[in-house]
Amino acid sequence: AGDGDCGHTHARAARAIQEWVRAQPPPAAPAQLLSALADLLLEKMGGSSGVLYGLFLTAAAQPLLKGSDLPAWADAMDQGIAAMQRYGGAAPGDRTMLDSLCAAAEVLQTLRDPGAELLPVLGAAVKRAEEAAEATRKMEAGAGRASYIGSAQLLQPDPGAVAAAAVLGAVLEGLRG
């Protein structure tokens, strides 16, 4: 769907992150880590996804400047999504990466609850993001490159939504490891 470069773009980002981590230890402070990742993706990822992830991470870093407790991570997700919507113009239901991210964000709201535990909440958020990505299979594209293609030709889930769910899954696996 779209211009067919989603997998290549995300692979380029993954390689850039791997090279960056091998070359230097990433910042330990969450806000600085997200800001550095934003800069890296804006420079190396390319495509509209690189810009959108860069905007997301830059905005998500802001709430983490004050602390990195679990509610701050929920705030980070909300602010990152708001930045993507503001600058990208898409909304949930438009068959984009926002479908997965917004579904995950709904679950991540429980990080604000007393006694919330990160890994179970994040696991549930990843599952919900994957379900939302699969649900894009039946959606009409309202934004992004896929919106230029007739819906009869869109037979697969939105690649950006699948990739966003995979990124969240990789974060979960990294935290578990």
Side-chain angles (χ1 to χ4, degrees):
D3 58 9
D5 72 341
C6 187
H8 295 291
T9 302
H10 283 80
R12 190 170 37 250
R15 284 190 299 275
I17 292 169
Q18 288 172 332
E19 290 171 13
W20 177 62
V21 169
R22 279 195 290 268
Q24 62 194 21
Q32 285 74 26
L33 174 63
L34 295 187
S35 293
L37 282 170
D39 291 344
L40 181 70
L41 294 181
L42 285 166
E43 179 185 342
K44 303 282 187 182
M45 186 175 190
S48 56
S49 294
V51 172
L52 290 170
Y53 279 119
L55 290 167
F56 175 90
L57 291 166
T58 298
Q62 296 310 303
L64 299 172
L65 289 170
K66 301 176 212 139
S68 59
D69 61 0
L70 295 183
W73 284 100
D75 293 341
M77 187 73 162
D78 291 346
Q79 287 196 28
I81 288 169
M84 286 178 106
Q85 288 180 297
R86 186 171 46 254
Y87 295 108
D94 280 342
R95 196 180 199 276
T96 69
M97 68 174 75
L98 279 171
D99 292 299
S100 291
L101 293 174
C102 290
E106 288 176 13
V107 176
L108 293 176
Q109 297 306 309
T110 62
L111 291 175
R112 293 184 170 93
D113 296 345
E117 295 181 34
L118 177 61
L119 292 181
V121 171
L122 186 53
V126 168
K127 184 176 187 307
R128 184 63 190 104
E130 291 168 347
E131 292 167 354
E134 179 57 32
T136 64
R137 180 187 302 268
K138 297 179 181 163
M139 290 181 183
E140 183 80 26
R145 303 247 172 90
S147 65
Y148 306 135
I149 298 172
S151 62
Q153 297 177 27
L154 298 174
L155 305 175
Q156 299 297 320
D158 179 72
V162 172
V167 168
L168 292 172
V171 170
L172 176 61
E173 289 306 310
L175 290 172
R176 283 183 176 156

